[in-house]
Amino acid sequence: MQRLLNTLIGNKGIAQQTKTALIACVVLLAIFISGLQYFVLNLPSQKNGQTPSSDGIVVITGGQQRLDTGLHLLANDVAAKLLISGVGNGLNKVILANELRLNKRQRDMLMCCAELEFTATDTRENAIAAKKWIEANKLSSFYLVTANYHMPRARLAFEYEMPDINIHYWPVNPSDLQLSEWWKKPRLLRLLTREYVKYLAEFIRLSNNYDS
């Protein structure tokens, strides 16, 4: 009888632990979903208005619209230098211009005033490479150009590496990124969820670095 009683008490304890764990998982999932929704609803957008001049432009590769935007800023004398960070090995300006089907004006701007950076493979390395370029060219300010969903994480990394540099942010809204009812679109949901997780990981990593 005592053994049966102990078994029942043990099973009750296990059931209580399981219930507590399930409640904790539900709460954490709700917090994560709320955070994801806030992240998506507050993605940065480029406001119309004056575009102050700057010393340089840094474009993080990942889509033609980003490079188009960087070249547009360059052509409009917003800055005189352009860094394209994260270009794949084996590419050069001619190949890049051909692959992206740049027009003559864009090609001219690319050839005269842009520098390609080949070593960066992630956002953190983009920031480190940009820092070296900024220091080598003695710049005190620049525009950071990347996709709007990538900008929050990029901003963390770039501000950590260059706290004393004046960074202007130019988020690009990809033409295929339609945020209306984004939760109903599996590809978009995966993209935004993955980026939100990366943002959280970068935030935690840099918070630990600041504390240490």
Side-chain angles (χ1 to χ4, degrees):
M1 177 64 71
Q2 183 64 38
R3 181 180 298 176
L4 177 60
L5 183 60
N6 290 340
T7 300
L8 290 174
I9 293 174
N11 289 341
K12 184 177 180 180
I14 293 173
Q16 182 62 40
Q17 291 175 359
T18 302
K19 180 180 179 180
T20 301
L22 286 174
I23 292 174
C25 289
V26 170
V27 171
L28 289 175
L29 180 60
I31 293 173
F32 179 84
I33 293 174
S34 297
L36 174 61
Q37 183 178 28
Y38 181 86
F39 175 79
V40 174
L41 293 177
N42 288 276
L43 288 177
S45 59
Q46 185 56 40
K47 303 293 189 296
N48 293 326
Q50 286 188 333
T51 304
S53 60
S54 186
D55 295 333
I57 303 163
V58 175
V59 174
I60 300 177
T61 55
Q64 181 169 354
Q65 283 181 266
R66 303 185 193 185
L67 183 55
D68 287 345
T69 299
L71 292 172
H72 174 77
L73 292 172
L74 194 64
N76 283 276
D77 298 323
V78 172
K81 296 178 180 294
L82 168 66
L83 175 70
I84 305 171
S85 179
V87 178
N89 288 325
L91 290 179
N92 56 40
K93 292 182 180 181
V94 174
I95 296 174
L96 187 64
N98 290 337
E99 286 190 352
L100 297 178
R101 299 179 180 178
L102 301 182
N103 59 39
K104 185 179 184 307
R105 179 176 175 78
Q106 291 173 321
R107 283 174 179 267
D108 291 343
M109 298 305 299
L110 179 67
M111 296 302 173
C112 82
C113 308
E115 183 176 336
L116 306 185
E117 188 280 314
F118 300 93
T119 62
T121 59
D122 57 31
T123 304
R124 197 177 308 164
E125 293 180 359
N126 289 135
I128 293 171
K131 179 181 179 180
K132 293 178 180 177
W133 181 74
I134 294 294
E135 291 175 345
N137 289 278
K138 297 180 172 56
L139 309 183
S140 61
S141 64
F142 69 94
Y143 275 88
L144 176 60
V145 179
T146 190
N148 59 349
Y149 64 85
H150 181 229
M151 187 62 83
R153 180 161 58 99
R155 182 168 186 164
L156 287 178
F158 275 70
E159 288 185 353
Y160 177 79
E161 292 295 335
M162 292 169 278
D164 299 323
I165 299 297
N166 185 16
I167 306 176
H168 305 283
Y169 299 96
W170 197 286
V172 176
N173 185 23
S175 57
D176 58 346
L177 191 72
Q178 302 301 321
L179 293 179
S180 59
E181 297 188 330
W182 56 272
W183 61 92
K184 295 182 179 180
K185 304 169 184 176
R187 185 192 66 81
L188 190 53
L189 178 60
R190 287 194 300 270
L191 171 69
L192 295 172
T193 301
R194 184 169 60 247
E195 185 57 39
Y196 178 57
V197 170
K198 289 181 179 180
Y199 170 79
L200 291 178
E202 187 70 3
F203 179 82
I204 293 170
R205 183 187 76 84
L206 293 180
S207 296
N208 290 334
N209 286 352
Y210 282 123
D211 293 337
S212 60

